[in-house]
């Protein structure tokens, strides 16, 4: 067992430790859900107050020209630099779900790829729902799901075979929301390219925690949300990436005025914007855009490679402590053990997962409240957000889980589940 004093030393020597003070923290609690909703940056609070009191409060309509029209472009450039893409290849706005619908429909209309929408059993439900809905509009049989033998890993042999036998438009999540399995992006993009296929990568659970280089990975289309590891705020606008070679040939299925070449000409005829801007729809959600800027700023400042290195160190510590302390108590690891194929959350299960999760939320015996999340039927996910998670917190959480099971304090909770877990 690692000594607590040694773990405290890691925090003391951690070059990213200072970023913790850039966020608002509740007292006496350990937040392990940054993979679902990231924390509020202090700077965001300031910016929002200034937007409300001045930009909206006083400058009103003038603010469009003073800042608001430029804001999504400024954000796009920051996301482009985080993901190694050109600023013209990034568009900020809408939700991941809406963007997925738009881009997949545009790819179907292009008729360049076989009419087949492929997903897999590790993908996030909204991705599957969107694909199923789109398939109904084209050909009900067009949707195909690759089912893997277990819920932790994508079986890459199955995936490779799928490209050979079922080419088409694929949608995969770079990091799986349940197990944190991390796909080898470049290899899979190459399989797709060799078999007349394209992949729409959903980066929601990876961006801000995993180093992503869209160019090096030969990515054509990607999207994701910014409210998880990028701390953009609840329901923050999504980002969409389309490679320069592709977007000129794509049509936006929702022809809104903000995707028009010159929206303020109020032209009766629709002419799409030249670049990726053509995928814009309506008026940008200014307050939400303002709220998402500091999150990406902090990430760029800290450096995604440093964040990834710390994430690996922290998830490895979690898994090592799990093996020593929790495995003998009936817990199972539901994430890959190899850091090369794991994102930044660690998922555990237990026959009493739900009630153990309730016990954590109530507070560990003589310790702080711990906030993980529960994903049915049995998964407890612990999100490690290297910008604010401390090594010591990981130790405290594992120790707390041990105490909860030893003392059977979870027995006082019932099995009923609320709406948002
Ligand atoms: C969180 C998440 C989403 C969320 O989509 P929204 O449209 O923003 O609600 C989508 N895909 C994945 C993989 C996610 O992890």
């Amino acid at each position: 067992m690692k000594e607590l004093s040694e773990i405290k030393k890691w925090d003391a020597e951690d070059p990213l430790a200072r970023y913790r003070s850039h966020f608002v923290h509740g007292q006496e609690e350990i937040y392990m859900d940054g993979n679902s909703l990231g924390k509020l940056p202090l700077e965001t609070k300031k910016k929002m107050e200034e937007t409300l009191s001045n930009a909206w409060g006083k400058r009103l309509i003038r603010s469009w020209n003073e800042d608001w029209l430029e804001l999504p472009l400024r954000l796009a450039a920051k996301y482009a630099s985080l993901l190694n893409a050109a600023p013209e290849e990034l568009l900020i706005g809408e939700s991941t779900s809406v963007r997925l619908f738009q881009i997949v429909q545009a790819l179907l209309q292009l008729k360049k790829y076989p009419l087949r929408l492929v997903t897999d059993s590790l993908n996030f439900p909204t991705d599957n729902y969107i694909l199923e809905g789109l398939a109904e509009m084209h050909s009900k049989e067009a949707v195909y799901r690759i089912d893997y033998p277990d819920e932790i890993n994508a079986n890459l042999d199955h995936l490779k075979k799928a490209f050979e036998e079922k080419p088409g438009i694929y949608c995969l999540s770079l990091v799986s929301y349940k197990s944190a399995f991390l796909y080898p992006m470049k290899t899979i993009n190459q399989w797709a390219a060799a078999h007349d296929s394209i992949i729409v990568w959903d980066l929601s659970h990876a961006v801000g925690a995993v180093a992503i280089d869209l160019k090096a990975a030969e990515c054509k289309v990607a999207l994701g949300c910014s409210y998880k590891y990028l701390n953009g705020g609840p329901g923050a606008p999504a980002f969409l990436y389309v490679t320069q070679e592709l977007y000129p040939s794509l049509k936006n299925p929702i022809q809104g005025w903000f995707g028009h070449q010159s929206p303020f000409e109020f032209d009766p005829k629709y002419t799409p914007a030249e670049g990726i801007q053509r995928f814009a729809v309506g008026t940008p959600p200014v307050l939400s855009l303002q709220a998402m800027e500091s999150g990406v700023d902090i990430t760029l400042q800290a450096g995604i490679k440093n964040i990834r290195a710390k994430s690996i160190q922290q998830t490895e510590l979690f898994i090592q402590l799990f093996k020593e302390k929790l495995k003998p108590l009936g817990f199972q690891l539901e994430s890959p053990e190899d850091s090369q194929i794991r994102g930044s959350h660690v998922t555990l299960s237990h026959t009493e997962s739900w009630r153990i999760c309730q016990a954590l939320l109530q507070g560990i015996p003589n310790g702080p409240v711990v906030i993980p999340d529960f994903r049915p039927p049995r998964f407890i996910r612990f999100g490690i957000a290297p910008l604010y998670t401390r090594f010591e917190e990981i130790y405290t959480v594992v120790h707390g889980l041990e105490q909860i099971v030893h003392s059977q304090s979870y027995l006082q909770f019932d099995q009923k589940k609320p709406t948002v877990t």
Side-chain angles (χ1 to χ4, degrees):
M1 177 73 192
K2 281 243 168 325
E3 294 297 325
L4 182 56
S5 57
E6 192 184 334
I7 289 169
K8 283 187 172 177
K9 218 172 109 203
W10 289 4
D11 279 318
E13 290 166 358
D14 168 22
L16 296 187
R18 65 197 168 95
Y19 289 99
R20 187 176 161 85
S21 66
H22 290 232
F23 295 90
V24 176
H25 303 285
Q27 291 201 331
E28 280 291 306
E29 66 176 34
I30 299 180
Y31 192 65
M32 290 264 152
D33 217 358
N35 59 317
S36 203
L37 176 62
K39 286 201 166 200
L40 167 62
L42 284 171
E43 187 63 27
T44 299
K45 216 172 155 210
K46 261 183 21 204
K47 224 180 244 165
M48 295 304 283
E49 279 157 6
E50 138 67 31
T51 301
L52 292 178
S53 61
N54 188 49
W56 183 15
K58 298 200 186 103
R59 300 303 297 158
L60 285 159
I61 195 81
R62 290 162 288 194
S63 290
W64 281 110
N65 285 325
E66 287 166 2
D67 184 40
W68 295 345
L69 282 176
E70 201 229 57
L71 176 61
L73 303 176
R74 192 164 74 228
L75 283 166
K78 289 178 179 183
Y79 272 71
S81 115
L82 178 64
L83 299 168
N84 189 27
E88 307 79 53
E89 294 172 317
L90 257 294
L91 181 67
I92 308 290
E94 311 301 331
S95 64
T96 304
S97 304
V98 169
R99 285 295 190 229
L100 183 62
F101 176 89
Q102 286 180 278
I103 197 68
V104 174
Q105 170 64 11
L107 289 169
L108 284 165
Q109 280 180 294
L110 185 63
K111 296 194 182 347
K112 180 172 173 206
Y113 303 98
L115 173 52
R116 186 179 291 114
L117 303 178
V118 185
T119 178
D120 71 6
S121 51
L122 295 190
N123 209 348
F124 192 78
T126 204
D127 300 64
N128 293 337
Y129 304 154
I130 298 282
L131 296 187
E132 281 159 21
L134 276 162
E136 273 185 43
M137 296 163 61
H138 292 266
S139 148
K140 260 195 196 309
E141 303 78 58
V143 76
Y144 176 73
R145 193 176 89 155
I146 308 164
D147 280 307
Y148 303 123
D150 66 73
E151 289 182 274
I152 300 178
N153 300 290
N155 181 315
L156 297 182
D157 292 334
H158 289 194
L159 189 52
K160 191 172 183 199
K161 215 161 118 230
F163 285 112
E164 289 158 15
E165 292 172 359
K166 303 204 181 282
I169 300 163
Y170 279 59
C171 172
L172 300 171
S173 288
L174 181 59
V175 169
S176 171
Y177 80 106
K178 268 190 196 164
S179 71
F181 178 84
L182 170 63
Y183 292 68
M185 208 183 199
K186 182 175 178 177
T187 305
I188 297 174
N189 279 331
Q190 290 176 341
W191 291 344
H195 292 97
D196 202 18
S197 300
I198 188 166
I199 304 173
V200 177
W201 285 101
D202 185 338
L203 309 180
S204 298
H205 246 88
V207 70
V210 170
I212 299 167
D213 185 327
L214 292 173
K215 289 296 161 206
E218 299 169 27
C219 247
K220 296 202 165 105
V221 182
L223 40 68
C225 64
S226 52
Y227 50 80
K228 293 174 178 169
Y229 294 107
L230 285 176
N231 308 301
F239 61 91
L240 169 70
Y241 157 84
V242 183
T243 178
Q244 255 158 75
E245 297 106 68
L246 192 58
Y247 61 65
S249 53
L250 295 178
K251 274 186 63 163
N252 182 355
I254 312 174
Q255 296 188 165
W257 70 308
F258 264 76
H260 193 282
Q261 199 176 57
S262 37
F264 297 100
E265 299 287 324
F266 301 93
D267 188 347
K269 183 177 165 292
Y270 179 79
T271 316
E274 294 274 316
I276 197 169
Q277 188 61 32
R278 67 182 53 193
F279 276 94
V281 182
T283 308
V286 171
L287 299 182
S288 300
L289 293 167
Q290 292 281 18
M292 71 190 271
E293 192 164 17
S294 301
V296 69
D297 281 344
I298 297 170
T299 298
L300 288 170
Q301 237 181 338
I304 191 64
K305 290 208 169 104
N306 302 328
I307 292 172
R308 172 66 175 158
K310 181 173 170 188
S311 157
I312 289 178
Q313 224 188 335
Q314 293 192 308
T315 47
E316 282 181 351
L317 172 66
F318 196 117
I319 291 172
Q320 190 201 335
L321 294 173
F322 151 81
K323 283 188 192 162
E324 289 167 16
K325 298 269 175 186
L326 303 179
K327 208 169 169 198
L329 296 175
F331 283 94
Q332 283 191 34
L333 180 63
E334 303 276 3
S335 293
E337 238 190 276
D338 177 1
S339 301
Q340 294 312 304
I341 55 166
R342 187 185 61 243
S344 200
H345 62 279
V346 176
T347 305
L348 301 182
S349 69
H350 189 279
T351 48
E352 286 288 353
S353 282
W354 171 252
R355 293 205 280 185
I356 291 170
C357 204
Q358 295 316 295
L360 287 173
L361 290 168
Q362 200 69 31
I364 55 185
N366 304 313
V369 160
V370 176
I371 308 183
D373 69 19
F374 178 83
R375 288 291 174 264
R378 63 177 187 280
F379 303 107
I380 313 176
R381 301 187 308 174
F382 297 91
I384 308 283
L387 287 174
Y388 50 77
T389 301
R390 287 179 296 172
F391 289 93
E392 187 181 343
E393 291 181 312
I394 292 168
Y395 178 91
T396 307
V397 168
V398 173
H399 189 59
L401 284 167
E402 198 188 356
Q403 284 174 290
I404 287 166
V405 173
H406 262 313
S407 66
Q408 298 197 316
S409 67
Y410 62 85
L411 291 176
Q412 61 183 292
F413 300 97
D414 68 21
Q415 304 279 3
K416 235 175 63 212
K417 299 180 178 70
T419 317
V420 176
T421 55

